[in-house]
Each structure stands twice: as structure tokens, then as C-alpha cells.
Amino acid sequence: MNVKRIIRGIWFCLFVVIAFFGIFQATSKVVKAETFVDQSVLASPNPGIKLNGYFTTGTFAGNTAYVMNSNGVDIVRMTTGKNQTGAIWSNNDTNYLDVTKKQTISMWVYFGNIISTVGIPDGMAFVLQNDSRGAEAISKHGSIVNKGETLGVWGSDTDTGKTPIQDQAIQNSFALEFDTDINSGREPGNGFDTLKYNGKDYFGGQGHIAWALPAKATTYQKVSGGVLSSTYYAMIHNLGSDSATNGNGVDFSFSKSHYNSYRDAWKHVTIEYVPDADGKNAKINYSYDDKTYFGTPNPNGTLVKGTANINLDTFDLKGSKKLRYGFTASTGASSDITDAVIFESMPSLVDAEDNAYVVNKTNNTRIGNRSSDNAEVNQNVNLFDDQDSNLTTSKTAHPGDKLTFNYMMHFLSGETAMSGVNAKIDLPDNVAIAPDADGSIGKIYYRSFPDADGKVTTESASIGSDKISGKEVTCGLDDLGHSGKNWESARVALNVTAKDFPEGSSSTSMNVPASSAHFEGNNFVSDVNTDSFDIVKPANELQITTDMKDPTEVKLGNKFNLTGDISFKNPETVNKNDMYINYKIDDGPIVRSQDTSAGSKFTIYDLETGTGAGQLDVGSHTIEVQVIDNNYPMANGGVDTIASNKLDYHIKVTNQTVTVEPKDSLITVGNNEPLTLTGTYEHADGTSTAGEGGSSVIAYTITTADGTTQSEVSDSQANDGKYSLTLDPYAYKKDPSVSLDDYTGNTGLKVGKNIVSITVVDEEGHKSKPTEVTVNVPDITPSLTTKQDEFSIVQGDPINMTANVNYGNNYQFTPSKLTWYVDANGHKTINSYSGDESVATLSQDFTIDSTANGIDDDANNPYTVSVYFTDPYGRKSEELDYKVDVMEKTAMIESTDYKFKDINASASPRVIGRDGAWKLQVKSVMSKWTLTAKAGQMTTDQLGGDVPLDGSLIYVSPDDDVNDMRQQTFIQNNTDDSKIKTTDIGGSWEPDEGVLLDVNSSTLAGTYSGEVEWDLTNSV
């Protein structure tokens, strides 16, 4: 804005001259409305949408904005002369910004004709607002509309006594200003741009682009003008973060020369609104001069870009999701400037996205890989047709490659359908249109929104060769959106061929520039470009081969793999980490896979047969496979994309099955040995499998009585229609030294009902259904008996025992497969015994080491020995208990009272014999012994007092030796300690042997008695 300020006072004459010079300089920028340049620029508009009542000009008094149409384009003229304020607003009914959605608003802006770069007073502002005044909202103090530096949106400091500056602004608003003049006069109405922006730097001499919140007091700062100036307000500006594009020092000027066109006067602006997930905040990304009027990105890069982080409380929405958007503009008292806007989109009416990309049909790759950071306005760099989304990306093409240039439009949402859309496409150099057999140069593919059942409708329309003129293709699109055919997307696909290098050319590379597509409809305008790429001579050639059977037959329901080998025409090591494998089943979409294993062999794993989506049904199928290396190094240091030949695999999916016939379907086992199951199999149609040759895989699972299904066991056998399976009792191979409780094996037959499910897969993959055989294992408790369960042993002797085994019903068992558990006096052992012949009964002998098992003390008699066994099915026998008594090694004498024969008194000495048999025995237990004796004096009390016998006992040995027993006399000994025996000494004497009584002649009559002391020694 220009301000004329007169400095009064004679002594200030020098300053008056300076002020006058300043006014002269400023007024040199003033131009008259509707200059020739203005008229020419307005007559040369860039494409825009028809406003059709979706916008309304500001309803405040004095609004200068109005809509004009120039060459079919609606232009909003904001100002046309000095001292003006204009505003244009979305109607907030069908046209608004939805704060809950990501949306893009784009437009072209024009700031008037001027040659000087110092500034074009005063500028425009893009505004989002929820002012209660609606379309009447404008910057005012009282009833007066503010002009100049306020741009129609900020408050003014020319009259803040009555109304605070922030209250003059448009309320509940955000503004992005395109300030074409620096207001640095440090006085009311001319001091907004005197503070450091972003708190760092001062503005330069040109205009700037910055944002702030007009109705916030914190947006303004009161500044003292010094001794000679009054107090004024400055504004706190927010600019972009990158100093190169932050919006300071923007040259908004335009002058026509032979280096430019009038369309260059229009500058493109993009506003991208991105709500945060929390619903409380949002980002507003903005860019200025980001594309040319050709629709291509600015070759010099975006001039200005930045981001505003906004709390949605700023707008006081009170639950609404709508914001009014539009522009305000103003000029000063001496600024006769034309400001204008052309809108390209209204996101609430039509919110759409687009993309452009190139597919190389020769090697099934997608050229280019643009990141979202480099996306153009409305471009979604991940928007592809389904069949193109998984393609490997590449950076190059080869001469003669068949290419498809794709330009895609996707309707996201909107109050109305996208209607009247025409596409204008500029094809780049070094490619040529390739019409197909019917003369079409491409197709337009449409895809509908899913219906209530999720069904999608597709349709295509050919693009005739009459739609191309030179390098430009034009075609119309059906309406997109929820009307008509309910199309969600449209894709223009052009058939193109990469050109060959000119004959004699030594060049190794030709660049294909970006191809620009311009979509223009009644309510949406957008431009999008393909990535540029190079055409290069192939650096090498890939070749793939396979040794798979052709055709390969697969049973319906089975998975299968494809295998092959990769090589280079110019041999070198194959590194599959840089390669992708594309395959296509019949006419389906291309699927990308990768095999990063070492070596040149490759595998595509787990392809499925069946009747579901993506599965191969019964019949013949062709799977086209191609290997892509998109990182092959070129001699110039770049990388090339090379593709192999396309290799066809022929797959025959059959529903042929195998039937299995067991020899026996119900079996009850009668022994503990492995069970052999046999049977036959053939094709379901009765033909033999033998003709296939090779082998069959016979597999089975066992489901035991508790419902547990064991892991599958399989065996490869001759494919001759016969099978034989051997099933072990589950503990058959148990180590005999391992108890059943510690055995970890769990595969095999168990007690009770076993369901054996058998399947057969023949050489060509035909598979049977499971066939069941029931195997019953009797739940038997084997009996364990003995004829002797009590033992008396001499201390230290082994105990030899016998146990009799019987299952009953002639059930057979193998002795060596029984595991015996012996508990001898608490000492537990596990044993097995020999015997590999099946028997029905068994007398199992076993020996217990009494000493090792602590059976050695007769004081603890009786001892218990317990025995039982388990068999290969895990069955436990009855338990058998033995009792054991221990005897020590000893010898003991047994004797009684003895008598001699009665005799009459006699004067003659004589030897008197024994009266009857004397019981004199020695019982010995594995012991040697010696028996001696000594007799005392015999006496009688019948004669008054103890009267001794006149005589003594004698011992007459078998050798007739006579020994006086008044002395210690040897009787007999035993030298054999190997037996338990009783030696009958008294019974073995002859009448004239042994102990006799020798009496003298003087012996008096009477009954005599005495004692014999027997001495038995446990030794010889």
C-alpha cells in the first residue's frame, strides 16, 4: 500500500524533499486499471472450473470482487483499481472445506501488471474462516471496510481506540497472505512488515508469502514509532522453514517480453489441508508457483512452500465440519491494481486424485518410482491399476520395447460427480504411438465403486487414431462419481513403442521426457506427468530354462512349485538378490515374487489348485514366467533393467484320484510283534497306476483310543498298485534299560482301538482319500504266578526265583521284548531277558543278589521281593511278591537228660551202657564244628549227704579209644561247611561206643546223678 505523509515545519525542508522523492518513486508504480497487459493476461487464462454459484462474492458494502468469463474460464477479479477491497467465498452449502478429510484446493493467481520488482500494492490472502458473518466477513473498523495492508482480512491500526485490532479482522480464521508490497513505514497503516519474521530475519525489499491467525491478539505487536512517529502495530509473520523457499523476497511483478507469454503472469497456488488423526489439529501445506501453465512442474522448482500447524479450536466450529474458504484482496489509495483468481478445484464438490506412469509390456516392469515427497498437485504416486501395482520398477527401456503410458483419475468423494472431463495428453520425444490391429491407439478403462455385495463392474472404450494430432492425444471421459454408471476411476492407456537409435548413432542413451496429461472438467482441473526415463541399449541378456515335465500334472487341491534356471547370454555370476520373478497365470494379473537363494536355480513356491479365487481349477493352464534384473550395472556407471525370455509352464490340474482297498479293515492283534497291513490301490476310473512308473508315497496316521492323532508316517514304494505297511507297538523299539515312564516314543499302536488312516499318492500326484483300518489291541493284564513264593536263604547266598507268564487265549509274546521291574527290599532294577521266539507261556528265571539288595540280616526277616513286567503295548502284568528269610552261618547242639542202665551191687568193676537212645545232635548251617565234653562227679543223696559214685563217665570212640571224661574229651567234628545239616551223634553210637559209665566194685547201691558239659566250637 502507498501512503502519502506530509512532514510539517520549515526546518524539516530536507526531509520534505526526501518524503516527496519517496512519493514520486511510489507513484511511479501506479498503473491504470485494464492496461493492455491486464487485458491480455485476462484474455489468456489458464484452465479453471466453472463457479456456477458454488462461490459467492462478499456481501459487505463496497465489495469489488466479481466473476467474469474469459474464453470459457471463470475468473474472479478481486480488485480493479485503487482504494478497493474485495472478497470471494465458497457458498458453504455444497462448496466448503471439510475439516475431517485430507483435501486439496488449487488455483491460479494474478497480481497485476508492473515492471518494478519493489512491490505491487497490496496483495491478496487465501482465507479459511468460520466468521459468524459468513460471506459478509471482511476486515472492518466500525462500518468502514479496511483496505491497504490489511488485505481485507487483518485488523487495522488506523483506528484501534474503539475496536481492538484483532477484533477488526475476519474472525475464527486462518490467512495465507500474498503480500505484494512491504509495509515498513513504521506508522499506523504502514508498519505491518517491520518485525523479524519467524523471529529471525527482516523482510527484504520485495513482497512475501506468510501466514497467521487474523483474529488472535498474539498476531499483532504494538510498536513505538520513536520521537517523531506515533505508535503503530506490526504483524508477526510465519514463513516456511527453508530459507530458499520460505516466502521472503517474492517478486510478484510481471511485464511482457518476447521471453514469456501472458499465461506466464498466472502463478499456480496449491493448498493442501491434512487433518491429524486426533481430530484436534491440522496441517496446511502451501506452495506457490509450483507448476507451469503447461501443467508440468516448475523446472526451477517450487518458488515458495511452507506448512502451517493449526489447532482447530481456532475456528470455533462448535461441532460443524465445514469451513468457508476464499480470497480477500485490497489496494491502497494510489494503487490502481488488478488482482484475479482462477479456481481449479472445489474439494467438497469433487475430491479426486490422479497419477501417471509407464508400464514396459516387454519386460513387465513399471518405469519410475516417484516418492510422495515429489508428488504433484492431486497426485497419488501409489495409484495404479491392480495389474500394475506389483510390477518391478525400472529406470530404463530398450529400443523397440512395447510401452503403455497410463493416466489415471480416481474419484474420492464429493457433493457432485466429476463431469465433462476431457483429457489432453502430450506424448514425449523418442517414443511413437503403436496402433493395434483395429486401429486404436489405446483404451480408456473404467472401474466402478463396489456394490452392496462388493461386486465391481469394469468397462473399456477404444481410443481411435483420430484422437491424435501430432504428439497430442485428446479424449473425453465418462462422468466419475456416484451418478450414471457409478465409475470410481478411469485410466487412459496409450500403446507406445520405444524408438530405436538413429542409424549410425554412437549414442548409448536417449531421454524420454515426462508426458503431461491435463484433465479438465466442469468442476475439477488437474495436471499430472509421467516420470522421464532413458532408452538404452541392453547391457546383457537374461535367459531362463526349466527341466519340469511338460505338461506337469497336479492333483486338484494340491500345491506345487515352479522351478527353473537363470543364465546370462554373456556369462557371469547370477545374483538373484537383484532379480524379481514375474509370473502370470493364464490371462490373470502379473504377480511378482523373489527367490534370494544362492545360485542360478529359482523356485516359485506354493502355487495353489482349487476352486477359490487365485487357484488353478481342473483343466490346462499356462503360467508365463519372466525374470527381471532391475539393477544391472552398465558400463557408464548407471543401471539397466534387463528381462529374460518369457517361459511358459503348462500345468494340467486333474481331479483323478486313487482308491485304496485294504486286505483287512478290522484286525485284533494276537501278539506283541509289529503288525503288517497290506492292500491294493488303483485309479478311481479302474486303471492301474503301474503305467505311470516311478513310485508312490504310502502314508498313514494312527488315531489312538484317547483321540490323539499321531504324526504322519510315509514310505516310498513301487507304484505297482500294492502296499505294505509295518506298524510297531509304540514301545516296541524301547531300550530295555529305559522304563516305560521314561520312554519318549509316542508313534505306534497302543492298547484299545487304533484307527489307521492310509493315503496313497502315485507317481503323477493322484491322491487317494484316507482309507481307515481299525486295529484293536486287547486290554490284557498278563498273569504272573510262581510255585514258590517263600525262600529261606543262608546269609550272602543268591535267591533263585521263577515267575510264570501267561496272557491267556494262546496270546503270543516274545520274552526279550518284556521289560521286568524288580523291587528287592526297596532296591529297584529294570531288566530284560533273552528269548526271541514267540511263546504263549513262559517260566522266567531270575536271580536276586541278596547281599547287593540288603537281604542279609535275619533280624529283619521276612524280606519282600516284588516283580512285574511291561510289554511293547505298554500293558503292565500282575505284580508278584516273594518272601525271603535269611539264616546266619552257625552250628548248635541239641541234648536232653540221659540215663544209664540200672545194675545190682557187685564186687566186680564193670562198664554200664546207656539206657535207651540218647538224643545228642549238632545242627549246622554251612559251618565247621568240633564237639568236646567233660563230665562232673556223679553223686547220690540216698546215703545221707552227697555220696560220690565210685566210678566215672568214659567216652569210647569208634576207634575203641577209651577217654576219661573227667578230662575235656573230643567227641566228634565236622569239616564240611557247604551244607545245612543235622548230625545225629548219639544215634550213631554202637552200644559199646560213645558215653558209658565205668564203675568200681565198691560202688554202693543208690540212684546217682551228675552233669556233662558239652562244648561245641564253630571250627574244626
Side-chain angles (χ1 to χ4, degrees):
M1 172 183 137
N2 282 317
V3 177
K4 181 175 180 181
R5 183 166 178 262
I6 300 174
I7 308 298
R8 301 187 182 277
I10 284 289
W11 59 286
F12 286 105
C13 62
L14 178 59
F15 292 91
V16 171
V17 172
I18 294 173
F20 179 81
F21 177 77
I23 294 170
F24 177 81
Q25 184 184 31
T27 55
S28 68
K29 296 189 292 184
V30 176
V31 295
K32 293 182 179 180
E34 290 287 333
T35 66
F36 176 77
V37 173
D38 287 335
Q39 293 174 356
S40 299
V41 169
L42 295 174
S44 307
N46 288 328
I49 58 175
K50 296 187 180 300
L51 303 188
N52 290 340
Y54 296 120
F55 285 89
T56 180
T57 53
T59 56
F60 58 91
N63 178 32
T64 59
Y66 67 96
V67 178
M68 62 172 287
N69 187 277
S70 175
N71 290 324
V73 176
D74 283 351
I75 301 174
V76 182
R77 293 193 64 174
M78 302 297 296
T79 61
T80 58
K82 67 182 74 174
N83 241 359
Q84 292 184 347
T85 300
I88 182 83
W89 300 113
S90 60
N91 64 18
N92 224 37
D93 178 18
T94 53
N95 183 18
Y96 52 88
L97 185 138
D98 186 336
V99 296
T100 66
K101 296 180 180 179
K102 178 182 177 182
Q103 291 162 97
T104 299
I105 304 171
S106 59
M107 65 287 295
W108 297 94
V109 292
Y110 172 58
F111 296 101
N113 169 41
I114 195 167
I115 297 175
S116 171
T117 62
V118 174
I120 311 172
D122 274 280
M124 293 190 287
F126 172 79
V127 181
L128 297 175
Q129 56 103 338
N130 187 38
D131 193 304
S132 60
R133 295 171 292 177
E136 193 178 355
I138 200 67
S139 173
K140 282 185 176 183
H141 63 280
S143 61
I144 300 174
V145 174
N146 292 321
K147 301 178 175 58
E149 66 177 356
T150 70
L151 303 184
V153 65
W154 312 112
S156 173
D157 64 352
T158 57
D159 183 12
T160 59
K162 296 180 180 179
T163 308
I165 187 170
Q166 70 271 14
D167 292 346
Q168 300 179 34
I170 294 178
Q171 298 299 292
N172 305 327
S173 65
F174 159 87
L176 176 69
E177 68 170 11
F178 301 85
D179 194 341
T180 57
D181 190 26
I182 297 297
N183 298 104
S184 57
R186 300 183 182 277
E187 58 187 349
N190 192 24
F192 269 8
D193 303 325
T194 56
L195 296 178
K196 293 181 178 180
Y197 64 85
N198 289 356
K200 297 179 180 180
D201 301 301
Y202 289 107
F203 290 110
Q206 297 175 315
H208 56 267
I209 297 174
W211 67 271
L213 305 178
K216 295 294 184 182
T218 53
T219 297
Y220 310 94
Q221 183 172 316
K222 198 170 187 178
V223 181
S224 174
V227 177
L228 301 179
S229 302
S230 59
T231 298
Y232 65 96
Y233 278 87
M235 198 174 88
I236 296 174
H237 294 75
N238 301 283
L239 278 72
S241 58
D242 188 339
S243 60
T245 59
N246 66 3
N248 182 30
V250 179
D251 180 7
F252 292 97
S253 65
F254 173 75
S255 60
K256 180 67 178 73
S257 70
H258 64 280
Y259 296 109
N260 62 11
S261 73
Y262 290 114
R263 293 181 66 182
D264 286 309
W266 294 99
K267 302 299 181 183
H268 191 263
V269 175
T270 302
I271 307 293
E272 182 186 53
Y273 174 87
V274 184
D276 288 354
D278 62 9
K280 298 178 181 179
N281 299 280
K283 291 180 174 62
I284 299 174
N285 303 313
Y286 58 89
S287 56
Y288 171 80
D289 202 11
D290 52 353
K291 74 174 181 180
T292 69
Y293 62 83
F294 294 111
T296 57
N298 189 334
N300 299 317
T302 299
L303 184 63
V304 177
K305 55 186 174 182
T307 298
N309 293 297
I310 304 298
N311 187 310
L312 295 183
D313 288 345
T314 298
F315 302 110
D316 192 23
L317 288 164
K318 293 183 173 63
S320 172
K321 65 178 183 180
K322 294 182 178 181
L323 277 181
R324 198 182 296 269
Y325 69 91
F327 272 86
T328 63
S330 66
T331 57
S334 56
S335 303
D336 206 4
I337 296 299
T338 293
D339 292 314
V341 180
I342 300 172
F343 286 96
E344 280 189 321
S345 63
M346 294 177 282
S348 62
L349 263 69
V350 174
D351 188 14
E353 59 186 7
D354 55 26
N355 195 23
Y357 60 95
V358 178
V359 170
N360 189 325
K361 304 298 285 187
T362 300
N363 61 24
N364 287 324
T365 62
R366 193 176 67 244
I367 298 176
N369 191 19
R370 187 183 302 192
S371 71
S372 57
D373 292 339
N374 296 319
E376 301 174 56
V377 180
N378 300 312
Q379 184 181 20
N380 177 358
V381 298
N382 296 310
L383 178 64
F384 304 108
D385 183 67
D386 288 347
Q387 66 180 352
D388 302 333
S389 60
N390 290 324
L391 294 180
T392 301
T393 58
S394 60
K395 300 177 181 178
T396 58
H398 299 148
D401 280 357
K402 303 300 182 184
L403 311 175
T404 302
F405 278 61
N406 297 275
Y407 313 89
M408 196 165 182
M409 180 65 67
H410 180 216
F411 184 92
L412 296 171
S413 63
E415 298 279 354
T416 63
M418 182 191 300
S419 61
V421 177
N422 285 289
K424 184 177 74 173
I425 299 167
D426 291 323
L427 289 173
D429 294 335
N430 295 321
V431 296
I433 281 289
D436 59 21
D438 63 3
S440 66
I441 61 173
K443 287 186 177 182
I444 304 173
Y445 296 92
Y446 297 98
R447 180 185 177 93
S448 73
F449 289 99
D451 62 17
D453 297 324
K455 183 180 178 181
V456 170
T457 301
T458 59
E459 191 175 293
S460 64
S462 295
I463 303 173
S465 56
D466 60 324
K467 300 298 182 180
I468 184 170
S469 176
K471 293 184 178 180
E472 185 175 277
V473 176
T474 57
C475 55
L477 304 183
D478 288 355
D479 291 355
L480 301 183
H482 298 288
S483 67
K485 295 184 178 181
N486 205 35
W487 296 135
E488 181 180 9
S489 66
R491 175 172 61 96
V492 178
L494 299 180
N495 304 322
V496 175
T497 301
K499 289 185 177 179
D500 205 344
F501 290 92
E503 187 174 350
S505 172
S506 60
S507 176
T508 60
S509 175
M510 293 188 301
N511 181 255
V512 178
S515 170
S516 175
H518 176 74
F519 294 97
E520 184 174 345
N522 295 328
N523 46 19
F524 188 83
V525 175
S526 186
D527 296 281
V528 67
N529 297 268
T530 63
D531 288 338
S532 65
F533 60 93
D534 290 333
I535 299 173
V536 299
K537 295 179 180 179
N540 204 339
E541 291 183 25
L542 270 177
Q543 300 171 329
I544 58 174
T545 57
T546 184
D547 58 3
M548 287 184 66
K549 188 175 181 180
D550 188 23
T552 296
E553 187 170 321
V554 183
K555 172 70 175 61
L556 183 70
N558 289 353
K559 294 181 179 180
F560 64 96
N561 299 334
L562 300 181
T563 60
D565 187 73
I566 304 170
S567 62
F568 287 97
K569 183 177 182 180
N570 299 322
E572 60 178 275
T573 301
V574 173
N575 178 8
K576 298 201 294 290
N577 287 316
D578 291 332
M579 297 180 181
Y580 292 93
I581 306 169
N582 287 347
Y583 66 91
K584 181 173 68 172
I585 300 174
D586 299 327
D587 293 324
I590 293 172
V591 180
R592 184 175 71 169
S593 68
Q594 192 171 24
D595 179 355
T596 57
S597 61
S600 62
K601 304 292 185 183
F602 71 86
T603 302
I604 302 173
Y605 291 94
D606 293 337
L607 296 175
E608 295 183 349
T609 64
T611 58
Q615 296 177 327
L616 279 69
D617 204 346
V618 172
S620 297
H621 302 270
T622 299
I623 303 179
E624 180 186 273
V625 176
Q626 186 177 38
V627 174
I628 312 296
D629 186 340
N630 70 337
N631 198 35
Y632 190 86
M634 296 191 297
N636 63 2
V639 293
D640 189 13
T641 297
I642 57 176
S644 73
N645 54 300
K646 294 179 179 178
L647 183 62
D648 287 343
Y649 292 74
H650 299 103
I651 305 300
K652 182 181 179 182
V653 180
T654 70
N655 208 14
Q656 178 71 283
T657 59
V658 172
T659 58
V660 178
E661 186 65 35
K663 180 180 179 182
D664 297 299
S665 296
L666 178 61
I667 299 170
T668 298
V669 301
N671 57 53
N672 291 345
E673 290 302 300
L675 176 67
T676 298
L677 301 182
T678 60
T680 59
Y681 59 91
E682 63 182 3
H683 289 143
D685 61 5
T687 60
S688 173
T689 63
E692 301 171 356
S695 60
S696 291
V697 176
I698 317 297
Y700 69 88
T701 61
I702 299 175
T703 301
T704 53
D706 63 359
T708 300
T709 300
Q710 301 172 3
S711 299
E712 184 179 83
V713 179
S714 62
D715 183 35
S716 181
Q717 301 180 8
N719 189 28
D720 58 3
K722 301 176 182 178
Y723 72 85
S724 178
L725 299 172
T726 300
L727 280 62
D728 290 340
Y730 89 95
Y732 188 77
K733 296 179 179 178
K734 180 181 70 65
D735 186 330
S737 65
V738 176
S739 73
L740 191 65
D741 290 339
D742 293 334
Y743 181 55
T744 57
N746 198 37
T747 300
L749 299 171
K750 294 187 176 182
V751 172
K753 184 178 181 180
N754 297 263
I755 303 299
V756 183
S757 181
I758 303 170
T759 58
V760 176
V761 180
D762 67 13
E763 173 67 22
E764 293 188 355
H766 307 131
K767 185 176 181 179
S768 73
K769 293 181 179 179
T771 298
E772 293 185 352
V773 173
T774 300
V775 179
N776 290 313
V777 176
D779 188 2
I780 301 171
T781 301
S783 69
L784 197 58
T785 62
T786 184
K787 292 181 179 180
Q788 180 183 358
D789 60 2
E790 293 184 354
F791 293 84
S792 293
I793 65 167
V794 175
Q795 187 180 52
D797 283 354
I799 311 167
N800 297 310
M801 299 177 170
T802 300
N804 300 315
V805 179
N806 194 325
Y807 279 74
N809 296 320
N810 201 36
Y811 188 95
Q812 302 290 303
F813 60 93
T814 303
S816 63
K817 290 298 181 179
L818 303 181
T819 300
W820 291 83
Y821 303 81
V822 179
D823 184 345
N825 191 33
H827 296 262
K828 297 180 180 180
T829 57
I830 299 175
N831 304 298
S832 64
Y833 301 99
S834 61
D836 293 328
E837 296 292 330
S838 290
V839 295
T841 61
L842 171 69
S843 291
Q844 181 65 57
D845 297 328
F846 54 96
T847 300
I848 303 298
D849 186 331
S850 62
T851 301
N853 290 286
I855 305 175
D856 55 6
D857 187 348
D858 61 346
N860 294 323
N861 286 339
Y863 290 90
T864 300
V865 176
S866 298
V867 177
Y868 71 90
F869 68 83
T870 59
D871 67 13
Y873 286 112
R875 295 175 294 202
K876 179 181 176 181
S877 73
E878 296 173 339
E879 191 165 317
L880 184 59
D881 291 337
Y882 300 84
K883 299 298 181 183
V884 180
D885 286 338
V886 177
M887 297 182 294
E888 295 188 50
K889 290 184 177 181
T890 186
M892 56 185 180
I893 189 169
E894 291 184 354
S895 63
T896 62
D897 292 340
Y898 307 113
K899 292 176 63 178
F900 289 97
K901 294 179 178 179
D902 294 338
I903 60 171
N904 297 318
S906 173
S908 299
R910 52 196 149 164
V911 175
I912 301 171
R914 298 176 296 275
D915 185 7
W918 281 23
K919 184 179 181 180
L920 177 61
Q921 297 177 339
V922 175
K923 291 185 176 180
S924 62
V925 179
M926 303 295 194
S927 180
K928 299 175 182 179
W929 51 266
T930 299
L931 179 64
T932 61
K934 183 180 179 180
Q937 180 69 51
M938 298 185 69
T939 63
T940 180
D941 58 1
Q942 295 176 349
L943 300 176
D946 291 330
V947 178
L949 176 68
D950 185 13
S952 63
L953 272 67
I954 61 173
Y955 174 71
V956 180
S957 72
D959 296 330
D960 294 330
D961 290 335
V962 178
N963 299 279
D964 185 353
M965 291 186 66
R966 288 176 292 183
Q967 306 297 321
Q968 195 76 30
T969 302
F970 172 80
I971 304 300
Q972 191 171 330
N973 68 357
N974 174 48
T975 60
D976 183 3
D977 60 358
S978 65
K979 299 177 180 178
I980 301 172
K981 64 181 180 179
T982 300
T983 303
D984 187 1
I985 299 173
S988 66
W989 291 334
E990 294 294 333
D992 58 352
E993 295 177 350
V995 179
L996 300 174
L997 181 61
D998 183 14
V999 297
N1000 295 319
S1001 60
S1002 58
T1003 302
L1004 298 177
T1007 300
Y1008 292 84
S1009 64
E1011 291 182 349
V1012 178
E1013 182 180 310
W1014 302 100
D1015 188 3
L1016 182 64
T1017 304
N1018 289 335
S1019 62
V1020 177

